[in-house]
Amino acid sequence: MRDSFVEVEFSDVYIELSKPALHQFIKRMMSQHYSLFWRYDAKTIYLMIELEDSVHELPFIRNTEFLTLSADSLHVYDDVLASSLEKLLQHEKGNGIVKRSTEGPLYITSYQSGDIESMIEIDGSEKVMMNRNGSMIQYKDDGKSLEPRTIYNMMNLEIDYVLMELHEALIDADEWLIDSHKKKLKKLLTRREQVEQLL
């Protein structure tokens, strides 16, 4: 049984697929027990990918030497298919944005000519953004990008504040709060180490 809680959204997808690359993709899907068939309309060819109760449509534009997978938005509720599409983006030098929902954070990866241009982790109060030039955190309050040095200083303030809260919780002998502050502190220290490498 596959994971039924997967939701991956592909936006502004554009991949030029050579016929051999398309055949490889189809073979991979069939080896995973998907049923595949084509549906045509005037301008677009749709590759229908079916497994159990779910059906996904991939729209292709016909060209002589290759097919172009082009879509403003594709919602995929199957992890194997989503991962295969993401591999196509990388190997065939495609463009697109992949939003992957998990039980924890939301990950948004932007591909440009097959390379990861940026990757954003949205986790509750803050967004951690990683790209080829390093990491930045954008706080939701004002949505402004911050330089690593500023983030580092802000994290030191946050760590000091959590230490102060932990000290109070220790005095009050509040086990639940002590545990909560320790977890928060551990997460902040890990993040600070990551930011430290960019300084």
Side-chain angles (χ1 to χ4, degrees):
M1 184 67 199
R2 291 172 196 269
D3 186 354
S4 53
F5 299 105
V6 172
E7 184 182 349
V8 183
E9 184 189 344
F10 292 82
S11 308
D12 303 321
V13 179
Y14 186 89
I15 312 169
E16 288 183 355
L17 274 169
S18 63
K19 285 174 184 168
L22 182 61
H23 290 159
Q24 280 299 109
F25 176 73
I26 289 170
K27 269 206 280 193
R28 193 180 314 128
M29 290 292 97
M30 289 175 86
S31 73
Q32 294 288 331
H33 309 293
Y34 289 85
S35 299
L36 285 87
F37 52 95
W38 295 97
R39 184 173 72 76
Y40 299 85
D41 70 17
K43 291 181 181 174
T44 313
I45 306 170
Y46 295 93
L47 178 58
M48 312 296 285
I49 300 173
E50 197 174 275
L51 181 77
E52 294 162 8
D53 298 334
S54 69
V55 180
H56 292 88
E57 279 190 353
L58 302 183
F60 288 91
I61 300 163
R62 215 184 317 212
N63 303 289
T64 40
E65 294 301 311
F66 52 86
L67 287 176
T68 303
L69 174 56
S70 179
D72 293 336
S73 180
L74 280 176
H75 288 269
V76 178
Y77 302 98
D78 181 276
D79 200 35
V80 174
L81 176 56
S83 297
S84 297
L85 282 172
E86 205 161 347
K87 280 181 187 148
L88 274 183
L89 268 171
Q90 294 169 337
H91 296 160
E92 300 305 310
K93 309 283 183 222
N95 300 332
I97 296 164
V98 182
K99 296 176 192 165
R100 190 177 284 272
S101 301
T102 65
E103 285 179 13
L106 166 73
Y107 294 96
I108 302 173
T109 310
S110 176
Y111 288 95
Q112 190 71 43
S113 304
D115 292 326
I116 294 177
E117 195 167 61
S118 68
M119 184 177 178
I120 304 171
E121 174 191 335
I122 301 175
D123 180 12
S125 61
E126 62 193 30
K127 298 186 279 184
V128 179
M129 185 164 108
M130 294 164 287
N131 60 25
R132 286 180 289 198
N133 310 320
S135 260
M136 290 186 290
I137 294 178
Q138 293 182 308
Y139 283 84
K140 275 187 179 172
D141 323 1
D142 55 11
K144 289 177 184 164
S145 300
L146 303 171
E147 290 302 313
R149 173 58 62 191
T150 312
I151 295 165
Y152 187 78
N153 294 337
M154 285 175 74
M155 285 189 147
N156 282 335
L157 290 171
E158 271 187 86
I159 288 164
D160 288 348
Y161 184 76
V162 175
L163 281 169
M164 189 179 71
E165 286 186 315
L166 177 60
H167 178 71
E168 286 173 12
L170 285 164
I171 290 168
D172 297 338
D174 185 332
E175 292 300 321
W176 187 86
L177 270 180
I178 290 167
D179 188 50
S180 172
H181 293 322
K182 279 183 178 177
K183 282 178 184 168
K184 196 171 182 182
L185 196 59
K186 191 177 178 184
K187 192 176 174 184
L188 280 168
L189 290 168
T190 304
R191 289 256 174 95
R192 187 176 68 176
E193 276 176 23
Q194 291 167 351
V195 174
E196 210 166 1
Q197 290 167 12
L198 303 168
L199 298 175

